[in-house]
Amino acid sequence: MDQVAAGSKVETAIDANKIATRNCLLGQLAGTAAFLNDNKAWIKELWSERFRLMKIVHKNAGERWYVVFTGNPRSRRLITAARYRVKHQKVLTIAGGAGSVESGTAAAWEGIRGVAKKAGLIALIFTMTLDAAEWLHDYEQIGPDGKRSKDFADLLGKLGIDFLKAGISAAIASAVVGEAVALLAGSIMVPVSAIVIGTLVVAALVGYGIDLLDKKVDGTAHGIAFVRAIGESLKHSAEYLQKAAKKDYESYSLMFAD
């Protein structure tokens, strides 16, 4: 437990900004494993294939963008067509929703949803568990004034910021991948393997950037302060109810005692 709790200390960081700590790297590794696990079906089928974007103007439907793959679709079990619309569920992750604002928004939303399901959720829980272990270690420390160094507001604030950062990171990474696909795949055939590797690299860089921004603006501290303010508000409300209707709300405020 002590090893895990100490994993987020700046002394374990490998970068000058003190962001890439041991626990941070473990979280990135968990995220990478989650992406590969959740997308292993199409990665396995398309790893050696290439794709490009193609615009087709239909007589009645108008302009449509498609992702066109090389290889024989009959030999595949998931990607069973030679081309898909960019907004199709099967190719949102691959192409990052390139082609239109609507499909890009759909891809970003799919990325956010991926944080809260399957292996993505397990990776998020893993990261939150690391933070909880760190918090518990600090919570058990009692200062000279007899008070604990951390309280539940610190834990709830930190976990809330973790979830928010995971969603923002997924959305931004999806947008960056979509822009890269739109820039390259509109004119050349792009290897699917390059997209897989590129997506993982982009996700890591975006995650690092968000953590750096969080450190610069002290976002986690603001999140904790927000949670603590809500707790204080509830406490004051409970105290008011106890005074206003003592018979009905006797000892109600004890739930919010320090």
Side-chain angles (χ1 to χ4, degrees), residues 122-133:
I122 296 175
L124 179 61
I125 292 174
F126 176 77
T127 299
M128 289 182 166
T129 301
L130 294 178
D131 288 332

Side-chain angles (χ1 to χ4, degrees), residues 47-147:
W47 180 259
S48 60
E49 305 296 345
R50 294 176 296 165
F51 75 96
R52 65 171 297 177
L53 290 179
M54 177 182 293
K55 181 175 71 174
I56 299 178
V57 180
H58 299 278
K59 183 177 181 180
N60 296 322
E63 181 181 292
R64 294 288 186 270
W65 283 93
Y66 294 88
V67 178
V68 182
F69 295 98
T70 59
N72 182 7
R74 294 182 180 180
S75 64
R76 301 193 289 254
R77 302 181 64 179
L78 179 66
I79 310 299
T80 54
R83 74 183 187 193
Y84 288 89
R85 284 192 61 183
V86 291
K87 197 180 176 182
H88 196 285
Q89 192 74 18
K90 289 184 178 181
V91 297
L92 277 178
T93 302
I94 303 173
S100 69
V101 174
E102 181 184 9
S103 55
T105 302
W109 177 242
E110 184 67 18
I112 295 172
R113 287 180 60 220
V115 173
K117 66 179 184 180
K118 297 182 180 179
L121 178 59
I122 296 175
L124 179 61
I125 292 174
F126 176 77
T127 299
M128 289 182 166
T129 301
L130 294 178
D131 288 332
E134 176 192 355
W135 170 85
L136 181 60
H137 179 270
D138 293 337
Y139 176 77
E140 292 174 342
Q141 309 304 312
I142 299 177
D145 58 357
K147 295 184 178 180

Side-chain angles (χ1 to χ4, degrees), residues 147-176:
K147 295 184 178 180
R148 298 184 183 277
S149 59
K150 294 289 179 70
D151 58 21
F152 284 102
D154 291 285
L155 176 62
L156 294 176
K158 176 61 175 169
L159 296 183
I161 292 296
D162 279 345
F163 190 82
L164 181 62
K165 288 197 295 186
I168 293 175
S169 179
I172 294 176
S174 177
V176 172

